[in-house]
Amino acid sequence: MTKDIVVGDELPDWVGAKEFYQKYDPKEVIGRGVSSVVRRCVHRQTGQELAVKIIEITAEKMTAQQLEEVKTSTLKEIQVLNMVKGHSSIITLIDSYESTTFIFLVFDLMRRGELFDYLTEKVTLSEKETRSMMRALLEAVQYLHSFNIVHRDLKPENILLDDQGHIKLSDFGFSVQLQPGENLRELCGTPGYLAPEILKCSMDEMHPGYGKEVDLWACGVILFTLLAGSPPFWHRKQMLMLRMIMEGRYQFSSPEWDDRSDTVKDLISRLLVVDPALRLTAEQALAHPFFRLYQRDVRLFSPRRTFRVLIVSVLACIRMYSRYRRARPLTREVLARDPYSIRGVRKLIDGCAFRIYGHWVKKGEQQNRAALFQNTRNCEDCLTVFPVATNQ
């Protein structure tokens, strides 16, 4: 069994986790959480490569309250994952084991890791790639909501990619199944992806609470982030950022939006609606023209139509080639005046800045790629700003 030299990543002892070790051989660490470590593991009989999330539940490193919260959250996660098992865009829980000091959750191995890491590498995604990912994400959300399950922590870090680039939704630690007529009041999630009603609920004891609509707000934030490379709501002062969220104040002002269609901007504007009653549902979002117009229609073969399309395509190629030949060359003066306005140069600058400095360069007061790296799941940051109402 492989062991890493990083302090705190030691494997659990055989005696405390005998049942797990008899079936699986844990390998190198591939991810870390607040109270957990994710390792690649191999099924001893079949040789299948999987991933195991090892959650420590000892009183040595946590208070009694924290220990109880981790246990409760993990048991809820297991329950939810078993309910939604089988959906193509939701991570599959294959096995689970519990010892006196650890809980082991065995999942599919998603070799390409988090969507967040993929986005930092690519800077921004095309509408075509974004459309495919968002359709799968919304289908997963729609499936969860059909069971009255709210995820409450949708973000690129909790979306994983397989070898083919297909996504799977993961990390159901904050998920909860609503009873008929039930609303939530708990303040939890990641600051940049919190819906306005979650923040307002923590400020007003008379607020009715929130429901499944918070997941659609988070989908809107993710959609914006994939296309712009930076989140819609950000400010160096968290209080001002939270105010921007509650007011639904964002802009399509960065250069990346010059190349985006009005259709996708319309979808974002219908997801990032402050009033949850007016926000699109997952089903309504999937019916939006951004997805509907690009579904393939099955048509009978028509030689005349095929010939017409061929002629139009040839003429379009001729026009494009002519415009290309007439295009002004890229000169030093153009680069000196506004290099960031040129798409190719812009992506080159962003990519180099990330590799050199380890974070994205600042783009202005209201948008900053570094904000992507501040979106860790931490309720305590929010708790210092707003008091939390009693859970219901």
Side-chain angles (χ1 to χ4, degrees):
M1 288 176 286
T2 304
K3 286 192 178 183
D4 302 306
I5 60 175
V6 179
V7 177
D9 285 345
E10 294 83 3
L11 286 165
D13 61 279
W14 177 277
V15 177
K18 183 178 180 180
E19 189 177 2
F20 169 77
Y21 283 121
Q22 286 178 337
K23 193 171 182 180
Y24 299 99
D25 182 12
K27 300 296 184 180
E28 73 277 1
V29 174
I30 57 177
R32 292 181 179 87
V34 177
S35 59
S36 63
V37 172
V38 181
R39 290 180 177 270
R40 183 176 67 89
C41 69
V42 178
H43 193 284
R44 294 185 182 276
Q45 290 187 350
T46 65
Q48 182 183 7
E49 291 185 307
L50 301 163
V52 57
K53 183 178 180 180
I54 305 174
I55 305 164
E56 189 171 0
I57 51 172
T58 60
E60 296 178 2
K61 298 181 180 179
M62 290 183 284
T63 64
Q65 181 180 355
Q66 290 174 330
L67 187 62
E68 186 62 30
E69 288 176 354
V70 170
K71 286 183 177 180
T72 302
S73 173
T74 304
L75 292 176
K76 284 184 177 180
E77 183 174 7
I78 294 173
Q79 182 183 7
V80 169
L81 285 168
N82 284 328
M83 289 180 60
V84 300
K85 184 179 294 186
H87 193 279
S88 60
S89 297
I90 298 177
I91 196 76
T92 301
L93 177 63
I94 297 172
D95 255 333
S96 62
Y97 302 90
E98 182 177 357
S99 69
T100 55
T101 53
F102 292 92
I103 297 177
F104 301 82
L105 304 181
V106 182
F107 297 97
D108 301 318
L109 178 62
M110 306 296 283
R111 296 183 181 276
R112 294 178 65 178
E114 299 174 0
L115 175 58
F116 173 83
D117 295 325
Y118 181 69
L119 179 60
T120 57
E121 176 187 347
K122 300 280 286 186
V123 182
T124 60
L125 305 186
S126 67
E127 283 196 28
K128 180 180 180 181
E129 191 172 16
T130 300
R131 181 180 301 112
S132 174
M133 291 183 177
M134 289 304 302
R135 179 185 286 117
L137 176 59
L138 286 166
E139 287 174 349
V141 171
Q142 182 183 29
Y143 188 69
L144 290 175
H145 289 183
S146 69
F147 290 93
N148 284 329
I149 295 173
V150 191
H151 189 280
R152 296 202 295 179
D153 198 24
L154 295 177
K155 57 182 178 179
E157 292 91 329
N158 291 339
I159 299 171
L160 305 178
L161 294 168
D162 64 12
D163 292 334
Q164 289 75 40
H166 300 145
I167 72 161
K168 286 184 183 289
L169 182 58
S170 68
D171 201 338
F172 288 77
F174 281 164
S175 298
V176 62
Q177 186 177 30
L178 298 175
Q179 299 301 316
E182 180 186 8
N183 282 333
L184 302 168
R185 300 192 62 87
E186 183 182 8
L187 177 61
C188 67
T190 301
Y193 297 84
L194 292 176
E197 57 266 34
I198 297 179
L199 299 174
K200 293 176 181 178
C201 182
S202 66
M203 299 170 61
D204 182 6
E205 293 184 357
M206 302 301 295
H207 194 280
Y210 62 88
K212 296 180 290 186
E213 298 84 2
V214 299
D215 285 344
L216 276 303
W217 175 276
C219 285
V221 176
I222 293 171
L223 176 56
F224 186 106
T225 304
L226 295 181
L227 293 171
S230 56
F233 306 103
W234 182 87
H235 198 282
R236 64 167 62 92
K237 296 181 180 179
Q238 191 176 84
M239 275 292 294
L240 295 180
M241 183 189 76
L242 298 178
R243 183 179 297 175
M244 291 171 62
I245 293 174
M246 288 190 289
E247 296 174 356
R249 184 156 38 91
Y250 64 95
Q251 296 178 339
F252 297 115
S253 56
S254 63
E256 287 80 8
W257 293 106
D258 296 341
D259 303 321
R260 306 306 185 186
S261 68
D262 292 335
T263 307
V264 73
K265 293 178 185 177
D266 180 73
L267 175 58
I268 292 172
S269 66
R270 293 176 184 272
L271 290 171
L272 297 182
V273 178
V274 174
D275 186 351
L278 302 178
R279 198 176 302 153
L280 293 182
T281 64
E283 184 178 4
Q284 291 170 338
L286 287 167
H288 190 273
F290 179 65
F291 300 109
R292 189 176 66 245
L293 291 179
Y294 295 91
Q295 293 178 348
R296 294 182 178 179
D297 295 328
V298 179
R299 297 181 178 179
L300 298 175
F301 176 73
S302 171
R304 178 176 296 179
R305 183 169 58 242
T306 303
F307 181 73
R308 188 188 308 127
V309 171
L310 179 62
I311 294 298
V312 171
S313 300
V314 171
L315 292 175
C317 290
I318 293 174
R319 286 196 297 271
M320 291 173 62
Y321 181 73
S322 300
R323 292 179 181 178
Y324 170 78
R325 291 297 296 262
R326 294 197 302 268
R328 293 175 58 188
L330 183 61
T331 64
R332 183 178 299 177
E333 289 75 16
V334 175
L335 281 173
R337 185 170 62 250
D338 190 8
Y340 210 73
S341 65
I342 303 169
R343 184 178 183 182
V345 178
R346 180 169 70 245
K347 299 199 74 170
L348 179 62
I349 293 173
D350 286 341
C352 290
F354 176 75
R355 288 174 176 83
I356 294 172
Y357 299 109
H359 59 80
W360 299 116
V361 295
K362 185 176 179 183
K363 297 172 59 185
E365 288 296 325
Q366 300 303 323
Q367 284 191 310
N368 190 322
R369 293 194 194 280
L372 286 173
F373 297 88
Q374 299 173 1
N375 282 323
T376 56
R377 185 173 75 183
N378 187 358
C379 291
E380 295 179 359
D381 292 341
C382 296
L383 293 176
T384 60
V385 179
F386 300 114
V388 182
T390 304
N391 294 349
Q392 290 186 359

